[in-house]
Amino acid sequence: VCLRLQQYLPIKEDRVRIVVDAQRCQGHTLCAMAAPDLFSPSEEDGHAVVSSAAVPADREADAELAAAGCPERAITLEH
Amino acid sequence: MTSTEFDHHSPEYARNWREINAGLRAQCPVAHTDAHDGFWVVSKHADVAEVARDDATFSSYQEFPDGSRTGATIPVSPLRQVPIEMDPPEFFDYRKLLNGRFSPAAVKRWEPFLRDITTFCIDNIIESGSADLVSDIASPVPAILTLELLGMPTAEWRTVSDVTHALVHTTPGTPENDTALGGMMGILGQINETIAARRAERKDDLISELVHTEVNGELMTDARLVEIITLVMLGGVDTTGSLIGSSLEWLRRHPDELKRLANDSSLLPKATEEFLRYFSPIPGLARTTTRACAVGGQALEAGERLFLSWSSANYDEDVFERPDEVVLDRYPNKHQAFGLGIHRCLGSNFARLQFQVVVEEFLRRLPDYVVDTDAAEPYPSIAVVNGWVSLPITFTPGPRLGSKFAL
């Protein structure tokens, strides 16, 4: 419910995409700690807002770290 | 083995919770105990997560025709807290009333006030060279903040703090716990007075907002308002103070890590999560099965009580490398100290900000503090909150800085 795509970059075939399961996300905000440029907490309730669904190639490692750090397992990366 | 003598209220658990949890994980990850009319202890990270995410099977609140009820603690507390003791769909109606004032952005706006309270508390002791870390810093900061947020008189912070401390570290059914409950009745009276006052004249505080907010087209009853305010008060006052006390006590015993943190405040956010994991200020909460099911391979009937051990999950060897060590920059750190699922701690952003502001100011102004470990007194029971009765400290006196906050 709280997931908003602030900026929808054109998706290229080779880009990793971040998908947040809004039902699972409970606003722990730990993803924003790993990758503040990719995730920001919603003003409303702290649920993850994905700043950029398509991950720049040089940010893939941090996107993976954020996904690994989600206690609700709400973040997946689509290759 | 599926049976143990586990009792989270016991003095043995208060002293040896890490060892007892480790034993459960290794030998009996879903264990039954006869304590408190019988319940199951869930100790593995994955099992706790599975239960916490399934609110249909594992209820946080049920009422029965005979007037009895379940709730989020074992044994059930006489004071219901809402919405932590409430199931969907009703739960969502109440949680959304509160989310706005507890979001990261809303909490961030409290930082200047929080720094003023912290400066005020440190100013009160800084010239003397000795203090009690608990009653002079770790208790007043969260208590004053919580009362201000609610719209209750901050001058009353010590009463509220003393009562909530006593309420959490005494065992239900003992005279000490009855005294604490008596004190809580007095605080409930103050809450009721504030509700009446804000109903007559609205101010810019949480109680004002709640008394004028409708749920499903109707204003809330006083009883319901008290259940919500009790949650904010009990959740806000004791938990964060315990984390502050435990962490500063640990840092004093680990001077290299203390120096590292004092010199690099960018470490603080990750260190906060690690201290949350390592100390797990709320060791666990309860659920009740609504139907026959299985947890971690253990078959359960409907109506059985479960204790979800966040503190055990936070040391699960299958999830955390070197779980017995504090790794200040640990990441990922999928700790469960704030719980998981829809009931995840409402005040987590306040807890983090308070911890970071207090630790930063404290290490800056009392860099050479020494804890009198012989006189330090941990809670005798950690069933509800794992914290300290007192932590006497000494330090080189310094100058007052002056604060915009005064009582």
Side-chain angles (χ1 to χ4, degrees):
Chain A
V1 277
C2 306
L3 178 68
R4 285 181 288 128
L5 298 181
Q6 285 183 330
Q7 185 189 4
Y8 203 80
L9 296 180
I11 296 164
K12 292 178 187 164
E13 287 296 312
D14 57 342
R15 287 270 182 90
V16 169
R17 292 187 70 236
I18 301 173
V19 179
V20 175
D21 182 335
Q23 296 301 314
R24 276 186 166 253
C25 171
Q26 302 293 346
H28 291 257
T29 71
L30 295 179
C31 53
M33 186 182 286
D37 55 332
L38 301 178
F39 301 88
S40 50
S42 112
E43 297 251 328
E44 186 189 328
D45 58 8
H47 284 210
V49 176
V50 179
S51 311
S52 163
V55 181
D58 61 343
R59 305 291 296 123
E60 275 183 29
D62 279 348
E64 278 168 20
L65 203 57
C70 176
E72 306 284 357
R73 288 178 293 159
I75 303 170
T76 45
L77 302 181
E78 289 183 354
H79 291 266
Chain B
M1 186 176 88
T2 58
S3 185
T4 69
E5 295 183 349
F6 180 92
D7 182 355
H8 51 311
H9 283 277
S10 69
E12 292 74 31
Y13 189 65
R15 279 194 300 272
N16 302 317
W17 58 275
R18 290 185 177 93
E19 294 77 7
I20 291 171
N21 287 344
L24 288 173
R25 284 193 306 278
Q27 294 166 31
C28 198
V30 181
H32 190 268
T33 170
D34 290 333
H36 308 287
D37 298 327
F39 63 95
W40 296 87
V41 192
V42 185
S43 326
K44 292 290 287 181
H45 191 279
D47 294 337
V48 173
E50 185 187 318
V51 172
R53 291 199 185 100
D54 183 355
D55 298 281
T57 311
F58 304 100
S59 165
S60 292
Y61 187 82
Q62 293 166 309
E63 281 176 9
F64 302 103
D66 67 355
S68 66
R69 60 179 189 81
T70 67
T73 60
I74 295 174
V76 176
S77 162
L79 301 167
R80 183 182 179 187
Q81 297 180 42
V82 168
I84 197 168
E85 294 184 309
M86 189 176 257
D87 287 328
E90 200 185 11
F91 163 85
F92 292 110
D93 295 333
Y94 289 91
R95 177 75 180 218
K96 74 181 179 207
L97 300 181
L98 297 164
N99 278 340
R101 282 182 188 256
F102 291 83
S103 74
V107 167
K108 193 75 190 150
R109 292 193 281 275
W110 284 86
E111 185 170 346
F113 179 74
L114 200 44
R115 223 166 267 279
D116 286 342
I117 319 172
T118 306
T119 301
F120 167 80
C121 291
I122 296 179
D123 274 2
N124 283 343
I125 58 161
I126 194 75
E127 290 172 332
S128 74
S130 69
D132 181 351
L133 177 50
V134 176
S135 68
D136 294 319
I137 309 281
S139 293
V141 173
I144 291 168
L145 180 87
T146 304
L147 291 170
E148 182 74 14
L149 170 79
L150 285 167
M152 294 181 59
T154 52
E156 296 292 324
W157 79 263
R158 192 172 288 278
T159 310
V160 172
S161 170
D162 286 352
V163 168
T164 54
H165 276 312
L167 208 54
V168 299
H169 72 65
T170 57
T171 305
T174 61
E176 293 77 18
N177 190 255
D178 290 344
T179 304
L181 276 172
M184 192 63 202
M185 292 306 139
I187 293 172
L188 294 181
Q190 290 180 2
I191 293 175
N192 278 313
E193 282 172 29
T194 310
I195 290 172
R198 296 299 185 274
R199 197 165 268 147
E201 189 188 352
R202 185 172 184 155
K203 294 193 177 181
D204 181 28
D205 53 43
L206 180 57
I207 292 182
S208 292
E209 188 178 324
L210 292 173
V211 300
H212 292 99
T213 299
E214 293 183 352
V215 176
N216 296 323
E218 282 181 46
L219 290 173
M220 287 179 272
T221 62
D222 282 16
R224 177 50 46 84
L225 290 164
V226 168
E227 290 167 346
I228 299 173
I229 295 162
T230 305
L231 170 70
V232 173
M233 190 176 270
L234 294 182
V237 169
D238 215 58
T239 49
T240 309
S242 300
L243 181 70
I244 292 168
S246 296
S247 304
L248 288 172
E249 193 275 335
W250 184 91
L251 283 166
R252 182 69 282 162
R253 287 186 286 111
H254 298 82
D256 292 344
E257 298 297 79
L258 191 155
K259 194 181 293 176
R260 212 177 136 210
L261 196 58
N263 291 339
D264 181 6
S265 60
S266 72
L267 255 180
L268 256 175
K270 281 180 183 155
T272 306
E273 303 306 316
E274 179 65 345
F275 285 128
L276 280 160
R277 181 191 72 81
Y278 191 76
F279 295 113
S280 302
I282 297 188
L285 287 171
R287 299 287 190 274
T288 308
T289 54
T290 59
R291 54 194 177 215
C293 59
V295 174
Q298 173 65 50
L300 301 172
E301 311 264 314
E304 300 211 60
R305 302 278 279 144
L306 273 67
F307 182 74
L308 305 189
S309 181
W310 317 124
S311 68
S312 174
N314 285 345
Y315 282 72
D316 191 333
E317 302 77 0
D318 292 345
V319 177
F320 301 99
E321 281 176 34
R322 297 179 289 151
D324 292 320
E325 284 177 41
V326 172
V327 181
L328 289 181
D329 56 357
R330 187 187 289 275
Y331 196 97
N333 189 347
K334 291 200 269 196
H335 69 79
Q336 301 179 347
F338 288 130
L340 282 184
I342 61 169
H343 291 287
R344 187 194 66 87
C345 177
L346 173 69
S348 59
N349 299 304
F350 273 117
R352 288 166 170 151
L353 183 66
Q354 290 183 78
F355 179 79
Q356 289 162 17
V357 167
V358 170
V359 167
E360 204 170 56
E361 294 291 327
F362 186 90
L363 295 184
R364 191 164 59 83
R365 296 184 65 191
L366 295 78
D368 65 351
Y369 73 101
V370 176
V371 179
D372 181 350
T373 43
D374 291 336
E377 190 187 341
Y379 279 174
S381 163
I382 64 162
V384 188
V385 176
N386 188 354
W388 297 85
V389 176
S390 87
L391 281 167
I393 53 168
T394 51
F395 50 89
T396 303
R400 299 167 72 97
L401 294 183
S403 167
K404 275 184 245 163
F405 179 80
L407 280 173

